[in-house]
Amino acid sequence: MNEPTKLHRLFILFPLVGSVKSLIPIAALVSLKFLGGKSLRDIPWYWLSTVIILVTVLLLYGYLKWKRFVYTLEEDKILIRRGVLFREELSIYTGRIHSMNMEQPLLQRILGLTQVRIETPGKTEGGGILPAVTNSEAKRLQRWLREQTRTKQTDREIRQHESSDPSDHCLSVESERPSVQPSETRENQEFIHPPNHNQGFESNRLANSDSNIAGRHTAGNPETVEEERSTLLQLSSGRLLIAALSSPNLSLALAFVGGILSFADDLLPDRMYQLLFQSAGKLLPGSWIGIAALALIVSWLLSAVLYTIKYANFTVERIGKQISVSCGLLERKRLLFSPERVLAITVKEGVFRRIFGYAEVKVHVLASESDKHFMLHPLLKIKDIPALLNRVTPQFSAQAITASPPPRAIWMYLRWKLAVAALIGSVCIWYFEYLGLLSLLLLPLSLAWGLLSHRDSGLNLTDKQLTIRSRFIAVSTRYIRRPQIIAMEVSGTRRQRRRGLLSLHVKMIFSEINEGLSGMDQREIEAVRTWFQKKKDETSASAEQSGLTSSIDQL
């Protein structure tokens, strides 16, 4: 067992800095409204005393948190003990750890520290976080986890090798087991146990003597382990800026502007607000249109700046058998994941990007924070996507769409869009009268939207992968492996069934990555249902084989 390790001493400042950040708006408001032109000497003594006492209490609390926060690396787990008033002990076994991600929020980045997040199934509610360690310590923890994983895998292979000894008398019973194809068994176990990519190397190690095997277990010092490291891709600032400008994130910009307006609402005098409202009431409709256009342009540029800051220095690396994605200018993040933990891959083609043949690629990974969305590439040519998937997640393949909704299903893509446009137009005409007639332009836009959604939707089915493409505003293509699908729903009204149309809804582990498709030909949906039914049959066969193997081992 290793000795307990403490966090960095600068962790003592975290409670103080966190409280100062939350009190900055209140302090600014109090300073503007109550202090006016007064100097610091005019501040009452009890205010200064309160501030000094508060700072002292926060520093003392930070010291106690640092003193009581320790973690220990044991043989098969990491043990975290923390808590000032109430002591908490958290044991995280290495068999349940997916990865250790290195993050640098703004505070840690300023102080030169790193936050380590331990990813496990389910939500850990902040328990699996080491908020303040050095960069070298974070890398040591990651190497320790990889060494523990490698050791467990080697032990498992040794046990399998010993249990399959030719001198075992159970071989006479092996021939009576139900025949299951190796590829099918591997597919059913793929979601839980990562495939071994170094079988030849491992078999050579298993051929060594027992003394070499024992020495390899005792020599598992994380500091001496050299991991193979290679850079898969790295984006330049110019390429990243093009990606930001071609994918306007208006929601991000509006949230930023809303926060500024909310803060200004507390600081600006009431007279200034009244003056602004009076000036706005005198504007003509043409001026409002110009202001709206200017606001969209400013929001677009602002979203591009925020996008560039978020994904600055974007780099994807391979470290051993894991993939590392690092990015961020103010808050640096480095996320690690195993390709075998990928639930699905999404390729999103924005309106502007689709014209020039570009898209962004995201991976959805099983992690402790529900579903993790990793940006694998923010701006990539569509023709280069197969090569990227082959390098990073070889179990997925970029398949072209082979089945699309038939022409008789167009009405399913038009009805709700036209109904909403007609309702909005009626309300605008009733309220704005002649000016509301401009809202009738929504009808042809909704018609074009529905036709494009019908044209771009479709699916593709291979032996182990389902590909679904749909359009809301952007075209989204999602690649899903059969072992990761939890359930599949097929639905259709009586009218739709008479026309031979069905809808498909695929359910994954997390609802955020569920996928659906409407108005498909009944034969295509039935083929998908039969394809998914094979998973249940293979799972049952695998369970029977495991039960029979267990019975034989007991004999």
Side-chain angles (χ1 to χ4, degrees), residues 144 284 297 316 342 355 495 499 515:
W144 170 81
L284 298 175
I297 294 174
V316 179
V342 176
I355 298 175
R495 182 184 178 187
R499 291 171 170 257
E515 193 60 73

Side-chain angles (χ1 to χ4, degrees), residues 108 110 143 161 190 218 257 334 370 377 402 438 508 553:
Q108 282 87 337
I110 293 174
R143 288 195 296 268
H161 179 73
E190 178 182 18
T218 57
V257 173
R334 182 183 176 187
S370 184
H377 203 299
T402 57
L438 294 175
M508 308 287 287
D553 292 339

Side-chain angles (χ1 to χ4, degrees), residues 396-467:
F396 289 90
S397 59
Q399 299 291 337
I401 298 301
T402 57
S404 300
R408 62 181 183 275
I410 292 180
W411 64 277
M412 296 181 64
Y413 289 84
L414 293 177
R415 50 183 181 175
W416 293 113
K417 298 177 177 62
L418 291 176
V420 172
L423 179 61
I424 295 175
S426 301
V427 173
C428 291
I429 292 173
W430 171 76
Y431 187 79
F432 296 104
E433 296 180 353
Y434 293 106
L435 186 62
L437 294 175
L438 294 175
S439 62
L440 295 178
L441 295 175
L442 294 175
L443 291 175
L445 291 177
S446 300
L447 179 63
W449 182 18
L451 293 177
L452 289 176
S453 299
H454 174 267
R455 184 197 67 181
D456 295 329
S457 299
L459 59 85
N460 177 280
L461 194 64
T462 60
D463 185 29
K464 299 179 182 179
Q465 177 179 297
L466 174 64
T467 304

Side-chain angles (χ1 to χ4, degrees), residues 245-269:
L245 293 174
S246 61
S247 179
N249 191 347
L250 297 182
S251 60
L252 184 64
L254 291 177
F256 182 77
V257 173
I260 295 178
L261 293 178
S262 176
F263 182 69
D265 186 25
D266 297 328
L267 297 180
L268 292 179

Side-chain angles (χ1 to χ4, degrees), residues 1-186:
M1 178 186 297
N2 295 338
E3 293 296 327
T5 306
K6 292 184 180 295
L7 300 177
H8 197 276
R9 287 182 178 271
L10 289 176
F11 180 65
I12 298 173
L13 301 177
F14 277 37
L16 176 61
V17 176
S19 300
V20 169
K21 281 183 3 182
S22 60
L23 293 176
I24 284 178
I26 299 177
L29 180 62
V30 171
S31 300
L32 289 176
K33 292 208 170 187
F34 296 101
L35 297 182
K38 298 179 181 180
S39 63
L40 293 177
R41 295 179 180 179
D42 299 327
I43 300 176
W45 64 270
Y46 51 84
W47 280 31
L48 293 176
S49 302
T50 303
V51 172
I52 294 174
I53 293 174
L54 181 61
V55 170
T56 304
V57 170
L58 289 175
L59 288 176
L60 179 60
Y61 177 67
Y63 173 78
L64 293 176
K65 284 189 66 176
W66 170 79
K67 189 74 174 177
R68 305 279 285 178
F69 197 123
V70 295
Y71 60 93
T72 307
L73 302 182
E74 298 190 355
E75 182 179 357
D76 59 344
K77 65 182 178 180
I78 177 171
L79 184 63
I80 299 176
R81 295 186 178 95
R82 65 177 189 174
V84 178
L85 298 179
F86 301 97
R87 195 66 172 162
E88 179 183 1
E89 183 174 301
L90 178 64
S91 298
I92 305 178
Y93 288 87
T94 56
R96 292 181 55 82
I97 299 177
H98 296 165
S99 63
M100 287 185 178
N101 293 331
M102 298 169 57
E103 302 177 355
Q104 280 189 313
L106 184 58
L107 176 59
Q108 282 87 337
R109 192 167 178 82
I110 293 174
L111 298 177
L113 301 176
T114 298
Q115 174 179 282
V116 176
R117 183 182 295 274
I118 304 173
E119 300 289 356
T120 58
K123 295 185 178 181
T124 57
E125 298 182 355
I129 295 179
L130 305 178
V133 298
T134 60
N135 295 335
S136 59
E137 176 66 11
K139 293 178 180 178
R140 186 184 77 89
L141 291 172
Q142 289 180 332
R143 288 195 296 268
W144 170 81
L145 176 62
R146 289 194 289 269
E147 178 64 22
Q148 293 296 319
T149 304
R150 186 184 300 107
T151 302
K152 288 180 178 295
Q153 184 178 0
T154 302
D155 292 340
R156 184 168 57 248
E157 291 173 352
I158 291 174
R159 288 194 298 268
Q160 293 177 355
H161 179 73
E162 292 175 350
S163 63
S164 60
D165 193 343
S167 62
D168 196 341
H169 298 287
C170 294
L171 284 178
S172 59
V173 190
E174 289 283 345
S175 59
E176 299 179 3
R177 295 181 182 176
S179 61
V180 179
Q181 295 296 330
S183 60
E184 297 175 354
T185 306
R186 189 182 304 114

